[in-house]
Amino acid sequence: LGPLPPANSLGASNCMLRRPSSHIACLFLGCFTRSGLAFSSPTRLLQPSGAQLFRSPSLLRPAGFLQRGLRGGAFNMAAQGGEVGTEPPKDPSGDTIFGKIIRKEIPAKVVYEDDKCMAFHDVAPQAPVHILVIPKQAISQMSKAKEQIGDSPESKELLGHLMMVAADVGREHAPKGFRLVINDGKQGCQSVYHIHIHVLGGRQLTWPPG
């Protein structure tokens, strides 16, 4: 078959998902760039972030590949930039991983903290700079903020404070420019139902983002 081409040399037009056989071709040719996934060997699937490495012979079988890829696994993770949106919890006041970080039950690389909020590095960064800013008060979604914490000046001050802190963090860690992102709901790609502002920077970002 000759040497494999570089992982970034094949475009989506070289490898379309039309037949199961094309999945096998993708695996052996070494790349499927349209989904954001890069295949470096027939049994190796590496997500763009490099956070996870899967090794499984079942990837060589069309059924196994489709099952892993199209059922909200590898494809969706890559398409959504490492985060997969989930349905809101039935109990919006329930505990989350961010609550555990606030209580210091789970370690985090904290870059800022005051009595109202905290900022720390994302464990699965999507850019050289990827920091999360969260309120210490539990608020599940931005769209539910008025319902959960009210419409008082204090509530508005808290939300404004989050934005000001995010701007300070962005200026400090990404002085050439940054992006602030708040995911809301499943289609907004929210996976942790505790409001958090993504501060992304450290490289040239593109548009549109999603």
Side-chain angles (χ1 to χ4, degrees), residues 160-173:
H161 181 68
L162 293 177
M163 294 298 290
M164 295 295 286
V165 169
D168 289 342
V169 168
R171 279 194 297 270
E172 179 180 351
H173 294 270

Side-chain angles (χ1 to χ4, degrees), residues 31-148:
C31 179
F32 178 46
T33 58
R34 184 175 183 179
S35 69
L37 304 180
F39 301 94
S40 56
S41 76
T43 59
R44 185 176 296 174
L45 174 58
L46 179 63
Q47 291 191 12
S49 66
Q52 293 179 320
L53 185 65
F54 300 94
R55 295 174 182 271
S56 173
S58 66
L59 288 175
L60 293 174
R61 297 193 296 272
F65 181 77
L66 285 171
Q67 189 175 42
R68 287 170 181 268
L70 301 181
R71 248 185 219 177
F75 271 118
N76 286 344
M77 282 292 287
Q80 299 297 341
E83 188 170 3
V84 176
T86 61
E87 293 289 350
K90 292 182 179 179
D91 179 10
S93 64
D95 197 16
T96 69
I97 189 172
F98 291 164
K100 297 180 186 302
I101 290 175
I102 292 169
R103 296 191 301 271
K104 308 295 197 266
E105 295 173 7
I106 295 178
K109 190 177 178 182
V110 178
V111 299
Y112 178 85
E113 183 174 9
D114 61 26
D115 62 330
K116 295 179 180 178
C117 71
M118 148 184 284
F120 50 88
H121 287 275
D122 195 302
V123 295
Q126 302 302 308
V129 174
H130 190 170
I131 296 170
L132 304 178
V133 180
I134 66 172
K136 291 186 173 179
Q137 182 175 354
I139 308 169
S140 66
Q141 296 173 249
M142 183 60 75
S143 60
K144 306 287 187 183
K146 186 180 292 188
E147 173 185 327
Q148 292 174 3

